[in-house]
Amino acid sequence: ANLIFITSLLLGTTITISSNHWIMAWTGLEINTLAILPLISKSHHPRAIEAATKYFLTQAAASALVLLSSMTNAWCTGQWDITQLTHPTSCLILTSAVAMKLGLVPFHFWFPEVLQGSPLTTGLLLSTLMKLPPITLLYMTSHSLNPTLLTTLAILSAALGGWMGLNQTQIRKILAFSSISHLGWMAIIIVYNPKLTLLNFYLYTMMTAAVFLTLNTIKVLKLSTLMTTWTKIPSLNAMLLLTLLSLAGLPPMTGFLPKWLIIQELTKQDMASAATLISLLSLLSLFFYLRLAYCTAITLPPHTTSHMKQWRTNKPTNITIAVLITMSLTLLPISPMILAAI
C-alpha cells in the first residue's frame, strides 16, 4: 500500500512540475494531497487523524484558490498557460494560494500541527517533496508576481518561523518552524532571481532529509529524549549537531551558500534593508538550532535525569544518511560549480 501512495506522490509532483496548463497543474496538486493523507493518518492516533483533517482542509482551500486564480486569468486574458498569468488579481490570488499550500505566514498555522501529528518519515515528505509543486508554480509565474507582497510574506515568515520555534520542546514542531523561516528566504528572492529559490530549496531539502532520517534512526521526538541518545550512536549524534548548524546557515557549511547568494542578490536589487532585516531575523531561528545542537551534544550525568540511558546500537548507519550529511556539510567550497550548474 505504501508503494502505491509513494508512486502517486511522485506522479502528482511530476504532473504539476511538467504541466503547461493550469488544470493539469491543479490535478497534480490534488493527486499529491490525496496520496499523502493515508501516510499522515497511518497510525490511527487521534492526533494523526486531526493532522490529516487539518491538512486536507487547508490544501483543498488552497487548490480551490489556484483554480479561481487561473479561471480569473483565463476569463480576462483567454490564456490557460501557466507562464501567461498576467492579470494582477489572479497573481494576488495565486500568491495567497501557494502561500497556503507551502505554509508561509499568515497561512502557516496548519503546518506545525500537521507535522506534529505525522510520523518522522511522513514529516520529511511534507517538509520537502510536498513543497516542490507549489514552488515550481511560483517559479513559472515569478515574472508577473507582486514583489512587495512576496517580500512582506517572506519577512513575516522569517520572523514568525524563528520566534514561534523558540519555546518548543517537540522536535517535529521545531523543524516545522525552521521550514517556515526557510520558506521566507525562498519567497523573498523568487521575483528577482527564481533560480536561487530553487537552489535554496534543493539544499534545504538535502539538509532537512539528513536531519529527519537521523532522528528516525535514533528514534527521537522530544528534546528531553534527544539528551540521552548520545549513548546510542555517538558518531551519528556528532554529525546531527553539525547538520543542524548547517541548517542554521553557519559559514563553513553548505547551509551558508543560499543565504549568502540571496543577500548578495537582494543588495544588487537595492533591497539592502530587506536583506539586513531577514538576516537579523534568521538569528532567531539560529537560537533554536543551537538549542537542538546543545541537546544533541550535551552528555548528561546519570543522576540529573529521570530518563534511562540508552544502549549503544551496533546497527550500521544507513548509506543515504551518510551521503546526505556529507553533502550538507561540505558543498560550500564547490559553490562556483553549483552556480555554473544552475
Side-chain angles (χ1 to χ4, degrees), residues 13-189:
T13 305
T14 314
I15 289 176
T16 304
I17 291 172
S18 55
S19 57
N20 284 318
H21 197 287
W22 274 112
I23 298 294
M24 282 305 287
W26 174 80
T27 311
L29 290 170
E30 285 301 298
I31 293 173
N32 254 2
T33 302
L34 294 175
I36 195 92
L37 284 172
L39 295 177
I40 298 174
S41 56
K42 199 163 52 177
S43 66
H44 298 297
H45 188 277
R47 183 165 279 163
I49 307 296
E50 182 191 343
T53 312
K54 283 178 179 170
Y55 185 76
F56 174 72
L57 291 173
T58 46
Q59 297 301 309
S63 293
L65 282 177
V66 168
L67 269 186
L68 174 64
S69 131
S70 51
M71 282 163 66
T72 311
N73 191 61
W75 181 264
C76 297
T77 63
Q79 276 290 352
W80 278 102
D81 194 313
I82 294 181
T83 50
Q84 303 296 317
L85 187 83
T86 47
H87 196 261
T89 314
S90 300
C91 291
L92 287 176
I93 299 173
L94 179 80
T95 308
S96 52
V98 170
M100 210 169 189
K101 278 221 165 280
L102 289 171
L104 273 170
V105 174
F107 309 105
H108 65 289
F109 294 101
W110 62 273
F111 189 52
E113 300 294 326
V114 170
L115 218 58
Q116 181 57 32
S118 317
L120 279 170
T121 39
T122 311
L124 170 60
L125 287 174
L126 281 169
S127 306
T128 54
L129 190 65
M130 300 302 288
K131 305 244 186 261
L132 184 56
I135 283 181
T136 15
L137 288 181
L138 277 187
Y139 180 81
M140 288 191 275
T141 54
S142 58
H143 50 83
S144 47
L145 297 174
N146 182 337
T148 319
L149 174 66
L150 276 164
T151 308
T152 312
L153 290 181
I155 286 175
L156 284 173
S157 297
L160 283 173
W163 189 33
M164 292 174 78
L166 289 181
N167 64 349
Q168 299 295 334
T169 55
Q170 295 285 346
I171 293 178
R172 282 169 296 183
K173 275 198 174 174
I174 292 180
L175 287 171
F177 288 117
S178 131
S179 179
I180 292 167
S181 61
H182 273 273
L183 284 169
W185 281 86
M186 291 176 219
I188 201 165
I189 201 70

Side-chain angles (χ1 to χ4, degrees), residues 294-316:
Y294 181 74
C295 289
T296 311
I298 195 169
T299 51
L300 284 179
H303 61 272
T304 57
T305 172
S306 56
H307 289 285
M308 297 272 290
K309 283 284 168 286
Q310 319 231 11
W311 285 96
R312 179 174 296 211
T313 49
N314 288 326
K315 199 170 58 175

Side-chain angles (χ1 to χ4, degrees), residues 210 213-214 236 239 317-328:
L213 292 173
T214 304
L236 193 59
M239 289 296 108
T317 304
N318 191 332
I319 185 71
T320 321
I321 300 179
V323 171
L324 284 170
I325 288 180
T326 309
M327 289 172 72
S328 302

